[in-house]
Amino acid sequence: MLSREQIAMRVAQEFKDGDYVNLGIGIPTLAASYVPDDISVMLQSENGLLGMGRYPTESELDADMINAGKETVTAITGASIFSSAESFAMIRGGHVDFTVLGAFEVDVSGNIASWMIPGKLVKGMGGAMDLVAGAKNIIVTMTHTDKHGNPKLLSECTLPLTGVNCITRIITDLAVLSVENGAFVLQERAPGVSVEEIKEKTGGKLVVPENVPEMKF
Amino acid sequence: MAGFNKVVSSYDDAMSGLENGMTVIAGGFGLCGIPEGLIGQIKKMGTTGLTVVSNNCGVDGFGLGLLLEDKQIAKMVSSYVGENALFEKQLLDGELEVELTPQGTLAEKMRAGGAGIPAFYTATGYGTPVGEGKEVKEFNGRPYILEHAITGDFAIVKAWKADTFGNCVYRHTAQNFNPMAATAGKITVVEAEEIVEPGELNPSEIHTPGIYVNRVIKGTFEKRIERRVVSKETV
């Protein structure tokens, strides 16, 4: 089973040199630390910053420089800053190459539920619905099961949706999967995790190719 | 006031005409780039039954959160409202209505409102609770939902620099929703860190042209930081 850091490391392997990437809060944000040295990616923060840098030092701290998680950040050399409408124009218009975000549930139709649990207070979807509707490639990172051991990869999402028919790739603590033709297709398994275990913990239809390699780090 | 000079000298003048039940569009993302003094003036005026359109609703005791203390807000149109205990309480008690709107859709609703476009189609929210009850139309085989523009009786905006004609420049990510908010108010009030003479701002670098702006006031800002995250100084 992968740690949060290992999931982030595996996510970072998906990026190509020159990609514009939007990373959600949590594990997706960690992926920024594992981008291979030989490639450059530029981070988009949906509050209006393309070219997000590291956290500021005390002397760099600036209340006017924050990321979408409302944390203080810096901008890299060559960054640009713009309005929220411009930011979502580049998201909705398909100009952002990758979006990485977490989810409560994903299903075999590529639907995602990530913002609302009925009965709990709803804080809002923020930019997640725009991001899943607009990015060219979306990677969902999540644990394969919930804390009670129930599958989060399902035939049909049970929670209110964030987007429909938009998820093509999922990286969990157990596996890398794609979503194709109404099924999850097992692409890679975490080191030491068996195909049997993944089958057992996946709720929706799972296609298992003859050869399922272990992830490489 | 004379000609294009939009500068007012008091907050009373800045928010003059705001009445109970009006819609106020506010710039800002979290606590970044919010018109602190104009929010303070609305609190002082005690105006109630307001519909406030803003990405967030401040925090307890600061920003738009101040307007919750005396129950001045009847409805919030926002994308994320999770940072506020008083907000939660008023929502659960039924004293406050919230219309959760995806962040990009919210920005575009303001932009469209200011640009004279009554509604637009977007894929965002299709097939989700946000799309329920909305018109669906297919373009090139993909379904989109119809979203309506937003305009406000007032728009309250925070600028870095404004000239006396109302031309505005924003600083860093304090820009966020402010340029769209500025276009979408029947009366747009800009609170700026600095007011300069016409000609001091480079015309090619103005974010909000003064035509959208009715009043300009010089503010002082606390600029509270919501999530202060720092990395170690490197030697």
Side-chain angles (χ1 to χ4, degrees), chain B residues 59-181:
Chain B
V59 297
D60 290 309
F62 196 70
L64 290 170
L66 288 170
L67 304 186
L68 297 169
E69 292 172 354
D70 301 318
K71 301 183 181 171
Q72 291 175 265
I73 302 175
K75 181 180 177 182
M76 278 303 299
V77 181
S78 305
S79 86
Y80 192 83
V81 288
E83 319 293 352
N84 205 314
L86 197 54
F87 190 98
E88 281 189 31
K89 184 180 181 300
Q90 291 182 15
L91 187 61
L92 294 171
D93 292 348
E95 293 171 331
L96 178 63
E97 188 189 340
V98 60
E99 183 177 325
L100 289 173
T101 304
Q103 198 174 132
T105 297
L106 184 62
E108 195 63 14
K109 277 171 171 266
M110 291 183 198
R111 198 194 70 78
I117 296 169
F120 56 93
Y121 289 100
T122 178
T124 302
Y126 170 77
T128 77
V130 167
E132 278 169 21
K134 290 176 183 162
E135 183 191 321
V136 176
K137 188 165 179 172
E138 269 194 31
F139 296 89
N140 303 316
R142 186 172 185 195
Y144 294 77
I145 59 173
L146 186 68
E147 292 280 8
H148 289 259
I150 293 179
T151 54
D153 297 295
F154 272 77
I156 57 173
V157 168
K158 193 264 164 173
W160 177 30
K161 294 177 183 175
D163 69 19
T164 58
F165 288 180
N167 296 306
C168 297
V169 174
Y170 308 100
R171 185 172 176 274
H172 298 343
T173 61
Q175 180 171 164
N176 57 61
F177 283 84
N178 281 299
M180 287 77 66

Side-chain angles (χ1 to χ4, degrees), chain A residues 55-56 58-59 61-62 64 66 69-72 81 83-84 88 92 121 123-126 130 133 161-162, chain B residues 56 79-81 88 103-105 124 128 142 171-173 175-177 180 223 227-231 233:
Chain A
Y55 294 122
E58 287 285 347
S59 57
L61 201 66
D62 186 335
D64 291 338
I66 65 167
K70 294 164 189 139
E71 300 169 324
T72 46
I81 293 173
S83 73
S84 299
F88 283 94
R92 212 188 292 105
L121 189 84
K123 293 183 171 182
M125 69 293 282
D130 306 278
L161 297 178
T162 308
Chain B
N56 314 95
S79 86
Y80 192 83
V81 288
E88 281 189 31
Q103 198 174 132
T105 297
T124 302
T128 77
R142 186 172 185 195
R171 185 172 176 274
H172 298 343
T173 61
Q175 180 171 164
N176 57 61
F177 283 84
M180 287 77 66
K223 291 200 188 181
R227 299 213 172 108
R228 190 178 189 282
V229 186
V230 292
S231 53
E233 301 276 351

